[in-house]
Amino acid sequence: MATEPKGHGIQSVELGLGILKKISEERKSLTATEISFLCGISKSKLHKYLTSFTKIGFLQKSQDLKYSLGTELIHLGLKASEQLDIQDICIPYITKLREALNETVALAIWGESGPFFLRWEQSNRAINLGIKVGSRVSVTESAPGRLFSAYLPKNKTQSLISSELKTDLLQEPLLKELESVKRKGFAVTSGTLVPGITAVSCPVFDLNGSILAALTVVSMNDVLDTSEHSDFILKLKQTALELSQELGYKP
């Protein structure tokens, strides 16, 4: 939820970055003619940018005269991603969602022992769940746990799932549930950890499209409509998508 900077910028810098964005969005090598068409600028004007970007390593030019992102730009992007702190970035999204719903909103991430809550914003309702920042939750019985189990590679979740189920074989109901979670894009649990409490989690993705966190709403049973196309689910999904996009994810 970044703020728009005020004041006048440098037009040539903005144009140059716009060219780089267009090239990156195509995800393939492009000729100068193709880039000129995409950006809506003349080849003569474009040539100066392509030459400069190639010199500093932001672009690379192949023998067939096609351009693609260069190693220096890729390294710069990786450095930027390392500085993204989801714990700080998520705050305005969690706060806005909590105020809109008047329900507890939290963010869980994956750790070596399963999912745990990184942030926990309590609603105005007088509900004490005994859960706080740092609390770890079940990988099979909690909404964040089921979400991560559905989206993460099996080698990251299998041992924890097997430990909880006390078997190396995933039970058919859980397999079907995880398939449903990934198909619908959210996980719901009711009364599995705390009687009378429903939790709903949506995935937050990183720039590589991998699940990074579980945006979670916690409420009393039957307060929220958790059906697949309800206004609540659509709002939760949209908030999770906006947070993902700020972290560099592109749908």
Side-chain angles (χ1 to χ4, degrees):
M1 201 169 293
T3 57
E4 188 73 21
K6 298 179 180 180
H8 298 289
I10 302 174
Q11 189 174 9
S12 59
V13 173
E14 293 172 4
L15 178 57
L17 293 176
I19 293 169
L20 292 175
K21 286 182 180 179
K22 287 291 185 181
I23 295 173
S24 69
E25 288 169 359
E26 291 300 305
R27 299 185 180 183
K28 64 178 182 179
S29 298
L30 299 168
T31 64
T33 300
E34 290 171 329
I35 300 171
S36 174
F37 176 78
L38 284 171
C39 299
I41 60 177
S42 66
K43 288 180 66 175
S44 59
K45 186 174 183 179
L46 175 67
H47 177 73
K48 297 178 181 179
Y49 286 95
L50 297 181
T51 300
S52 293
F53 285 144
T54 302
K55 282 184 178 180
I56 62 176
F58 279 15
L59 290 177
Q60 56 187 11
K61 186 178 181 181
S62 62
Q63 292 184 345
D64 58 358
L65 305 182
K66 290 187 176 182
Y67 294 87
S68 58
L69 297 184
T71 55
E72 287 300 317
L73 186 61
I74 294 171
H75 289 159
L76 190 64
L78 290 174
K79 288 293 183 182
S81 68
E82 290 172 0
Q83 296 178 27
L84 292 176
D85 188 346
I86 190 171
Q87 188 169 6
D88 294 328
I89 293 173
C90 75
I91 293 175
Y93 296 93
I94 288 179
T95 301
K96 184 177 180 180
L97 192 59
R98 183 198 64 192
E99 291 175 349
L101 300 173
N102 191 25
E103 301 291 349
T104 296
V105 182
L107 191 81
I109 62 173
W110 184 261
E112 291 183 4
S113 302
F116 68 93
F117 285 108
L118 187 68
R119 291 203 68 88
W120 184 271
E121 298 288 341
Q122 190 76 33
S123 72
N124 294 327
R125 302 179 191 273
I127 306 174
N128 185 4
L129 303 178
I131 299 175
K132 57 185 179 180
V133 171
S135 294
R136 295 188 181 274
V137 289
S138 168
V139 72
T140 59
E141 297 295 330
S142 71
R146 290 185 182 179
L147 193 76
F148 281 114
S149 296
Y151 281 90
L152 283 176
K154 288 183 179 179
N155 62 352
K156 288 190 174 184
T157 62
Q158 184 65 54
S159 62
L160 292 172
I161 293 175
S162 298
S163 177
E164 289 190 10
L165 298 179
K166 296 180 171 44
T167 175
D168 290 333
L169 298 175
L170 287 185
Q171 298 174 3
E172 189 65 24
L174 180 59
L175 281 172
K176 288 184 177 180
E177 172 65 20
L178 297 183
E179 290 173 359
S180 175
V181 166
K182 197 161 187 181
R183 177 182 60 80
K184 295 187 297 184
F186 66 95
V188 181
T189 56
S190 295
T192 53
L193 292 181
V194 181
I197 296 298
T198 293
V200 188
S201 293
C202 275
V204 175
F205 299 109
D206 63 18
L207 76 169
N208 297 313
S210 301
I211 185 171
L212 179 65
L215 184 62
T216 304
V217 175
V218 181
S219 175
M220 297 290 291
N221 285 353
D222 302 322
V223 171
L224 297 171
D225 181 357
T226 60
S227 58
E228 189 171 354
H229 302 293
S230 68
D231 290 341
F232 160 64
I233 291 296
L234 294 177
K235 188 173 188 64
L236 178 58
K237 281 185 173 182
Q238 182 60 33
T239 304
L241 175 60
E242 290 172 359
L243 176 54
S244 299
Q245 289 175 320
E246 182 150 346
L247 292 165
Y249 171 67
K250 292 184 178 180

